[in-house]
């Protein structure tokens, strides 16, 4: 809820920290009540939703970790606080690979929820049952992490070195 309040503020909703957090807490409470009243097996929902959310988070964590491993200098702090410094607003290869790693990872996870039945599409393409054996392992989270981790190692070295030269 605390981070959700920051997210609302970052999206331009100017209510103040306290009220942003209250709004996020209310939205979470409404979603929780709706799930509790409409779902027969809450355990399946918690597992399915958390696994689905874990895939893009793992991809992002891999991208972030991979890029941090490449750095040999500290961040240029003034550039972190203002726009137009040493660091670009977007690293397009990383953003594209976040989407790709998430899509690949979601292809290798499975859920018993009807509205998440589309997950595991790469298991089906490979002829693997998404609800048994390796298909039930949700290995897509690890795959998304690995793809994210390798992306900066393959494509980010020149960009990171340019940034480090610019801050020197």
């Amino acid at each position: 809820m605390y981070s959700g309040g920051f997210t609302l503020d970052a999206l331009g909703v100017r209510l103040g920290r306290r009220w942003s957090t209250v709004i996020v807490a209310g939205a979470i409470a409404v979603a929780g009540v709706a799930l509790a009243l409409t779902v027969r097996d809450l355990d399946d929902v918690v597992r399915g939703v958390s696994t689905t959310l874990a895939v893009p988070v793992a991809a992002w964590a891999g991208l972030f970790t991979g890029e941090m491993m490449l750095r040999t200098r500290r961040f240029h702090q003034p550039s972190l606080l203002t726009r137009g410094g040493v660091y670009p607003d977007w690293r397009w290869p990383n953003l594209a690979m976040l989407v790709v790693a998430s899509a690949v990872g979601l292809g290798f996870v499975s859920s018993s929820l009807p509205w998440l039945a589309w997950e595991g599409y790469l298991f089906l393409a490979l002829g693997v049952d998404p609800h048994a054996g390796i298909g039930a392992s949700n290995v897509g989270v690890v795959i998304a992490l690995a793809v994210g981790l390798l992306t900066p190692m393959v494509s980010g070295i020149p960009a990171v070195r340019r940034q480090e030269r610019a801050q020197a």
Side-chain angles (χ1 to χ4, degrees):
M1 289 182 285
Y2 182 75
S3 297
F6 280 130
T7 302
L8 271 183
D9 290 342
L11 290 173
V13 178
R14 301 284 181 230
L15 297 173
R17 239 353 250 122
R18 179 177 1 163
W19 294 110
S20 296
T21 304
V22 168
I23 288 173
V24 169
I28 290 171
V30 167
V33 169
L35 280 174
L37 293 175
T38 59
V39 174
R40 279 189 264 149
D41 190 4
L42 197 56
D43 184 53
D44 284 345
V45 172
V46 170
R47 288 178 191 218
V49 171
S50 62
T51 301
T52 300
L53 292 175
V55 171
V57 169
W60 175 84
L63 285 161
F64 181 80
T65 303
E67 190 159 316
M68 292 303 105
M69 290 169 52
L70 293 176
R71 296 195 177 275
T72 58
R73 296 187 180 167
R74 291 180 171 210
F75 280 111
H76 184 246
Q77 290 183 355
S79 292
L80 292 175
L81 299 174
T82 60
R83 215 168 165 188
V86 174
Y87 309 110
D89 291 340
W90 300 97
R91 288 275 314 278
W92 292 107
N94 286 2
L95 186 60
M97 284 310 290
L98 174 65
V99 172
V100 169
S102 297
V104 170
L106 289 170
F108 287 109
V109 297
S110 60
S111 176
S112 60
L113 297 171
W115 44 281
L116 293 176
W118 57 271
E119 293 179 341
Y121 54 87
L122 293 175
F123 280 137
L124 294 174
L126 296 172
V128 175
D129 182 8
H131 300 291
I134 189 81
S137 70
N138 291 327
V139 70
V141 177
V142 177
I143 291 171
L145 177 70
V147 171
L149 187 62
L150 290 175
T151 297
M153 305 293 181
V154 173
S155 69
I157 294 173
V160 168
R161 297 299 172 247
R162 276 192 306 275
Q163 290 171 356
E164 291 180 338
R165 280 192 304 272
Q167 81 183 45

